[in-house]
Amino acid sequence: MTAKNMEELVALAKRRGFIFQSSDIYGGLQGVYDYGPLGVELKNNLKAAWWRAMVYDRDDVEGLDAAILTNPTTLRYSGHEATFTDPLVDCRACKSRWRADHLNGDQCPNCGSNDLTEPRPFNLMFKTAVGPVDDGGSFAYLRPETAQAIFTNFKNILDSTSPKLPFGIAQIGKAFRNEITPRNFIFRVREFEQMELEFFVKPGEDEHWHEQWVAERLSWWAAQGVNETNLELYHVPAEELAHYSKSTVDLMYRFPHGLEELEGIANRTDYDLGSHTKNQKDYDIQANVQPNTDANAKLAIQDLESKAWQIPYVIEPSAGVDRGVLAVMNEAYTIERLDDGKERTVMRFKPHLAPIKVAILPLKRNHEGIVTKAKELKKTLQKLGLGRILYEDTGNIGKGYRRHDEVGTPLCVTVDFQTIEEDDTVTIRNRDTMAQERVHTSDLSAYVSQYMSQ
Ligand code: ATP
């Protein structure tokens, strides 16, 4: 099951502390959101799962965490200054602004007028002044994608890790785009995070690796609990391709507002490394990149046998963290009718993504023996390093279970009189089945570890 509409997700996200409008008390800031106590856990867990799959589970990928502020020259040679634009139209009647390719026909979605201006290119990059004097002469861009710093660090990483083709560089971080019409909650925002891999391959092997990465990424999203029936591949037609791309496959997800891009997997060829390389004519690269006289690096790799220098091609799976969080929340959202006719809302997150792994609930919040035992168990489970274990002494177990269903806590552990007076067992209550079983405290760590590894 998924949410019926975006409003259901927005309401739950706010009520339970996943996601808030940014600067809420001052009326908000359009296209900017903050992640609350549970949202930060969910987002971190999703990023950690990506990092594990992209870096730790492989031996051909290194990580990077580069700066957000970017030298304008980088974005000149990458082509972003000239071409990173969306077509902007103004409605002359109501003065609203729209992205031309998002309009239905030539009608203003706000007032219905047909009196729209011709589309004109609007650059999406944010600029910011650098240094104490804001005279416009010294500025930086907030990066519009994390990828460029991977290309500009190519030589540094090559020199420090000596990789052989094919190899990749992975990065997770913020990106900024001055979207004309941010909308659909965290789907289209002005400040967001990307998880990007640049996977460098020998020219000629690029198409094979492109296919390979599309398949890998589909199965990764399935492992995050995204139902494959809600994913579709879109082979981007030539006229829609970004300036750097030879071919792109978009991974489309059925969001509550419609089928839209969750991740793009592009064959960027040698466009970027070629553009950032000084005296590029020395290398066998595409003809359409601009001559670069500013750079001082040779972003190429030497074949150990033939000794020839070559600019590798690059395959780029680029996923939005925020769009991923939205997809995962939508997939998890379930309303169930219970035997007694009541409804319960359950977030069926995969255990590795759940914001809280286990909630420890003492039956009586003022009973010293029970409280001590419950706190002790929290400490023990926390040491397993699985993520957040919460000790919560609200004293009402039934309500605790319902609240934890709604935030997607896979297991609740209740400590009661039987635990401390009789047999040192606790009740484990399962979010998905609602089944309860008694487990000896000495078996609890093994039980929890095993459950979370599924
Ligand atoms: P769109 O066509 O939806 O504007 P795009 O094709 O420009 O997206 P890419 O440049 O391919 O997006 O960026 C890679 C990924 O970054 C996207 O698949 C998406 O998940 C994420 N992303 C891009 N723009 C935004 C945004 N404004 N808000 C949230 N995520 C974004």
Side-chain angles (χ1 to χ4, degrees):
M1 240 179 99
T2 52
K4 283 198 291 294
N5 50 49
M6 192 73 92
E7 286 68 36
E8 281 187 337
L9 286 182
V10 175
L12 182 129
K14 173 148 193 194
R15 184 169 73 248
R16 291 303 185 192
F18 282 89
I19 300 159
F20 311 120
Q21 174 70 57
S22 193
S23 305
D24 205 7
I25 63 166
Y26 290 111
L29 181 60
Q30 218 199 343
V32 186
Y33 287 89
D34 297 337
Y35 286 77
L38 295 180
V40 62
E41 300 293 339
L42 174 60
K43 196 183 190 195
N44 283 343
N45 292 340
L46 188 67
K47 291 191 283 185
W50 186 91
W51 197 263
R52 269 198 305 275
M54 291 303 205
V55 184
Y56 298 164
D57 289 349
R58 315 179 57 99
D59 292 311
D60 54 2
V61 174
E62 299 292 338
L64 177 73
D65 182 18
I68 288 168
L69 293 176
T70 306
N71 184 330
T73 314
T74 299
L75 292 158
R76 181 156 87 242
Y77 284 103
S78 70
H80 285 80
E81 276 194 338
T83 58
F84 197 63
T85 59
D86 276 339
L88 171 72
V89 293
D90 291 281
C91 171
R92 292 196 184 91
C94 73
K95 309 290 176 222
S96 59
R97 295 191 138 167
W98 305 96
R99 209 174 123 170
D101 56 331
H102 283 172
L103 290 182
N104 230 341
D106 55 0
Q107 211 177 35
C108 171
N110 188 40
C111 72
S113 164
N114 291 315
D115 191 8
L116 303 178
T117 60
E118 281 299 306
R120 60 182 191 284
F122 171 76
N123 196 297
L124 299 179
M125 290 196 292
F126 281 99
K127 265 183 188 177
T128 190
V130 171
V133 185
D134 184 5
D135 59 2
S138 176
F139 73 94
Y141 288 113
L142 304 189
R143 63 183 178 195
E145 59 176 24
T146 67
Q148 287 311 316
I150 295 183
F151 301 128
T152 54
N153 275 295
F154 183 80
K155 189 172 176 344
N156 290 332
I157 293 175
L158 215 62
D159 291 349
S160 54
T161 67
S162 313
K164 283 198 277 302
L165 289 177
F167 73 91
I169 303 175
Q171 181 169 217
I172 300 177
K174 291 268 186 179
F176 300 81
R177 297 183 188 179
N178 197 2
E179 296 280 353
I180 296 168
T181 43
R183 57 186 170 168
N184 294 319
F185 194 33
I186 52 172
F187 175 81
R188 184 174 302 286
V189 284
R190 290 183 169 136
E191 172 174 343
F192 55 98
E193 271 185 278
Q194 292 184 314
M195 307 184 279
E196 296 197 301
L197 171 71
E198 304 302 324
F199 196 76
F200 301 98
V201 303
K202 287 188 180 153
E205 294 180 0
D206 50 315
E207 287 174 17
H208 157 76
W209 279 106
H210 197 189
E211 274 172 32
Q212 182 93 4
W213 276 111
V214 171
E216 292 257 347
R217 297 304 302 145
L218 270 174
S219 76
W220 185 82
W221 282 110
Q224 309 318 306
V226 177
N227 195 321
E228 281 169 86
T229 57
N230 288 329
L231 289 170
E232 274 182 30
L233 296 182
Y234 175 66
H235 294 261
V236 178
E239 66 276 12
E240 284 177 27
L241 287 175
H243 61 277
Y244 49 72
S245 173
K246 167 175 162 186
S247 75
T248 296
V249 178
D250 284 345
L251 237 151
M252 311 290 281
Y253 172 71
R254 224 170 297 289
F255 286 98
H257 64 282
L259 186 69
E260 292 228 45
E261 178 180 334
L262 170 63
E263 168 162 354
I265 302 151
N267 181 345
R268 291 180 84 125
T269 68
D270 54 5
Y271 180 89
D272 301 271
L273 291 182
S275 311
H276 291 305
T277 293
K278 190 176 173 83
N279 298 327
Q280 54 177 302
K281 58 183 180 308
D282 294 352
Y283 309 109
D284 173 26
I285 54 168
Q286 283 195 168
N288 66 347
V289 290
Q290 336 168 29
N292 186 348
T293 49
D294 296 331
N296 53 21
K298 177 165 153 181
L299 304 185
I301 192 164
Q302 194 173 23
D303 188 276
L304 292 182
E305 281 147 34
S306 71
K307 302 286 175 217
W309 284 91
Q310 190 165 49
I311 300 190
Y313 269 37
V314 66
I315 306 301
E316 174 196 70
S318 169
V321 176
D322 311 74
R323 288 185 190 181
V325 167
L326 187 58
V328 160
M329 286 186 75
N330 189 44
E331 290 288 325
Y333 191 91
T334 314
I335 306 251
E336 279 177 7
R337 188 161 293 282
L338 303 174
D339 292 344
D340 61 5
K342 289 189 183 141
E343 278 188 347
R344 74 168 184 144
T345 307
V346 199
M347 292 300 270
R348 290 181 176 270
F349 294 121
K350 290 266 182 191
H352 73 279
L353 294 179
I356 299 166
K357 307 300 175 193
V358 182
I360 314 259
L361 313 170
L363 182 70
K364 289 256 179 275
R365 68 172 127 178
N366 298 325
H367 189 283
E368 205 189 316
I370 290 179
V371 166
T372 307
K373 185 76 191 172
K375 287 188 171 165
E376 208 180 280
L377 291 178
K378 181 221 146 104
K379 268 199 179 152
T380 307
L381 292 186
Q382 193 62 64
K383 282 196 191 127
L384 297 174
L386 298 165
R388 187 162 192 204
I389 311 292
L390 184 71
Y391 166 84
E392 191 175 75
D393 62 353
T394 53
N396 184 330
I397 302 298
K399 272 193 183 160
Y401 289 165
R402 276 193 297 284
R403 190 174 49 256
H404 282 287
D405 285 344
E406 227 191 4
V407 304
T409 307
L411 299 173
C412 286
V413 170
T414 300
V415 180
D416 57 15
F417 288 103
Q418 190 181 329
T419 317
I420 55 160
E421 288 170 3
E422 293 176 32
D423 55 11
D424 208 12
T425 63
V426 288
T427 300
I428 299 189
R429 190 265 192 184
N430 185 297
R431 173 196 74 193
D432 296 336
T433 62
M434 293 190 288
Q436 301 186 16
E437 59 181 307
R438 292 217 60 114
V439 170
H440 197 272
T441 55
S442 60
D443 297 329
L444 188 59
S445 291
Y447 185 107
V448 169
S449 301
Q450 205 273 331
Y451 194 83
M452 295 302 152
S453 67
Q454 60 177 297

